[in-house]
Each structure stands twice: as structure tokens, then as C-alpha cells.
Amino acid sequence: MLNLDQLAAFVSVVDLGSFTAAAERAGLTQPAVSLQVKLLEQRMGVRLIERVGRRAQPSAAGVELLAHARRILGECAAAEEAMTPYRQGAVGRVRIGSGGTASIHLLPRAIAPVKKRMPGLEIVVRVGNTDEMIRDLEANALDIAVVTLPASGRSLEIEPFYEDELVAVAPKGSAIPEGGPTPDFFKDKIMMLYEGGNTRRATDEWFEVAGIRSQPTMEFGSVEAIKELVAAGLGWSILPGLALKRDRGRFVTSPVQPPLVRQLGMVIRRDKHLTRGLREVMKCLRAFEA
């Protein structure tokens, strides 16, 4: 009989590329994880993990076993989840990964209908950038991610669901050009831009298409922080419209020219078991309107 702990250790090592990383994720020692994989190899009679440089990768036999192992572990997780309502009076759990802006301005409103329909559903939200969310999805540490596209991964299903316009944001009393600011207009302005991620890449590309290199005076990892600084009169910015729906009266906003848009998408693993809770979350995301 196959040992589930051994299969889980094997899958974790393959997903993370490291015995040490797999041990840290499982809360075990590295020798313990190594032993689990060794025992599985003895059970199968073949080598399953090979070291390529510093990275642990599956052998040809390991690749073949991996698909079976994922299905077995997925079915076991589904069986456990099916028992949750009977064991705890709950109806499961959904782990959502999201960027900072979506976690504040999108998820609470999208999730509210789910909680009304399924009061016992446990929803856990983890905030990070797109690359972090994709890694956690591939490691099955998240059930679904809401990210700024593009995103990619051979094992992932990606579905765009919301188009968010990026707009110019300026202190109250600022003069906005008719038709909206162009990249050239911002050359002599104090600019504060979001640091990193696909939203920043989209902004930089908008400037580059016009032959201008964006040169922000200040960079921040928080859209909310930039909003406060703009409201205080310290400069201009280009921010997601989603983050400005509730407080436009604090500053001047305007679409930019040419228009600048980012696409938000939901991402899940192709082999993910769609529980009722996860299906409800996806349904509400598709229906979301700002």
C-alpha cells in the first residue's frame, strides 16, 4: 500500500526543487523528508529524484509517478474536505491569493455574496505580487489567485474577469489637460509610482511607447500610501481606478491619453478539485462590477 506522507513529500520536493524547502513548508527536518522520498523509491524500486546542479528534479520515472501522485493526493484532500461539514459543522475553506489593491477594493465586495450563501465557509486571503501567487498556486498552497495579468504556468488555468483603467491622480486644484494627460505632460511633474509588478510594467510601457522613460521622484510598494501623498499635495501619480472609487473627492483624477488599462484575472491549477466554495468564489468574481 502506498504511503500518503511519502507521496506528499515527493510532490513537495518536485514542486519546490529542494528537500530543504519541502521540509520547511511541511514543518519537518530535511532528513525526515529525505527519508520519506527514499522509502518511496525503495517501495517503487526506482530512483524518483535526481539532482541537477543545486536543484532536485524528478527522474523519468518520477515524472511518470508525479501525475498519479497529484491525483491520489487531490482525491484524498477532496475526501477530507467532504467530511468537514459533518466533523465541524463547516462547509470547507478557500485560500485566495491577491495583490494589495484587489485585496482591499475588490475581494471584500466579491466575497460578501459567497459568505451570505455559505456562512460556514472559511476564506483565507494572502497578499503578495503575481509571481509569489503563481508559485504558491503551483505548490498548492493556494486554491485561487486574483492577479494582474499577464501570468503564465503550464499547470495553470487563467481567466481574465475584470478590466481596470489606470488613471492620472493629482492634488486638488491641479490643472488637467483637456482629453487627459499624455506621457509627455508628466515630464515636468513630481511623479510617485507603484514599485514592481505588472501594474508598474504596464505604466513603464505606456511611457516607453511615447519614447519617454518614466522617472518617478518616489516609488512605493503601496497604492494606499501613494494616495495619501497625492492628497497631501506632494505630487502626481498613475493608479488603478479600482483603488479610487470611494475617495475621488480627495484629489483630481482623469483618464490618460492614450488610455491605459490593466487586466485582472483569476488563476487556478488545471487539476484543482472545484469544491462548492471555490466554485462560488469564481462565480462572484466573474460577476464583479466596480
Side-chain angles (χ1 to χ4, degrees), residues 45-105:
V46 293
R47 170 161 243 147
L48 299 173
I49 298 289
E50 297 175 340
R51 288 197 175 276
V52 180
R54 300 180 63 183
R55 186 171 180 83
Q57 295 186 346
S59 64
V63 171
E64 182 75 12
L65 177 62
L66 188 61
H68 296 287
R70 289 197 194 283
R71 282 198 297 273
I72 291 168
L73 294 172
E75 287 299 320
C76 288
E80 287 190 7
E81 185 169 3
M83 296 299 102
T84 300
Y86 303 94
R87 185 175 65 247
Q88 299 177 344
V91 287
R93 178 181 67 166
V94 177
R95 302 165 298 173
I96 306 174
S98 172
T101 298
S103 69
I104 296 172
H105 301 283

Side-chain angles (χ1 to χ4, degrees), residues 44-245:
M44 295 298 182
V46 293
R47 170 161 243 147
L48 299 173
I49 298 289
E50 297 175 340
R51 288 197 175 276
V52 180
R54 300 180 63 183
R55 186 171 180 83
Q57 295 186 346
S59 64
V63 171
E64 182 75 12
L65 177 62
L66 188 61
H68 296 287
R70 289 197 194 283
R71 282 198 297 273
I72 291 168
L73 294 172
E75 287 299 320
C76 288
E80 287 190 7
E81 185 169 3
M83 296 299 102
T84 300
Y86 303 94
R87 185 175 65 247
Q88 299 177 344
V91 287
R93 178 181 67 166
V94 177
R95 302 165 298 173
I96 306 174
S98 172
T101 298
S103 69
I104 296 172
H105 301 283
L106 186 153
L107 282 181
R109 293 160 61 194
I111 290 171
V114 181
K115 291 294 289 182
K116 288 181 180 178
R117 290 196 285 268
M118 301 179 66
L121 181 66
E122 179 187 1
I123 296 178
V124 180
V125 177
R126 183 182 304 171
V127 179
N129 61 38
T130 296
D131 291 340
E132 291 171 340
M133 297 299 102
I134 296 302
R135 285 197 297 270
D136 284 346
L137 275 175
E138 290 177 333
N140 204 31
L142 291 173
D143 300 309
I144 185 170
V146 175
V147 302
T148 303
L149 302 180
S152 62
R154 288 180 297 178
S155 64
L156 303 176
E157 291 278 1
I158 300 166
E159 179 184 336
F161 73 93
Y162 182 75
E163 196 171 79
D164 187 19
E165 184 177 19
L166 298 176
V167 300
V169 188
K172 272 188 174 181
S174 300
I176 301 289
E178 186 176 350
T182 63
D184 187 67
F185 174 82
F186 287 107
K187 286 196 298 187
D188 62 346
K189 298 289 184 293
I190 297 175
M191 287 291 293
M192 299 176 291
L193 294 181
Y194 183 72
E195 180 182 25
N198 286 338
T199 301
R200 175 57 181 274
R201 279 192 282 273
T203 304
D204 287 343
E205 289 170 2
W206 183 75
F207 280 103
E208 289 168 6
V209 168
I212 298 172
R213 181 179 178 183
S214 63
Q215 295 182 308
T217 308
M218 292 178 278
E219 299 180 70
F220 297 87
S222 166
V223 169
E224 299 305 306
I226 296 174
K227 286 165 55 178
E228 294 302 318
L229 292 169
V230 172
L234 298 182
W236 291 58
S237 189
I238 297 175
L239 297 176
L242 184 65
L244 304 168
K245 297 290 185 181

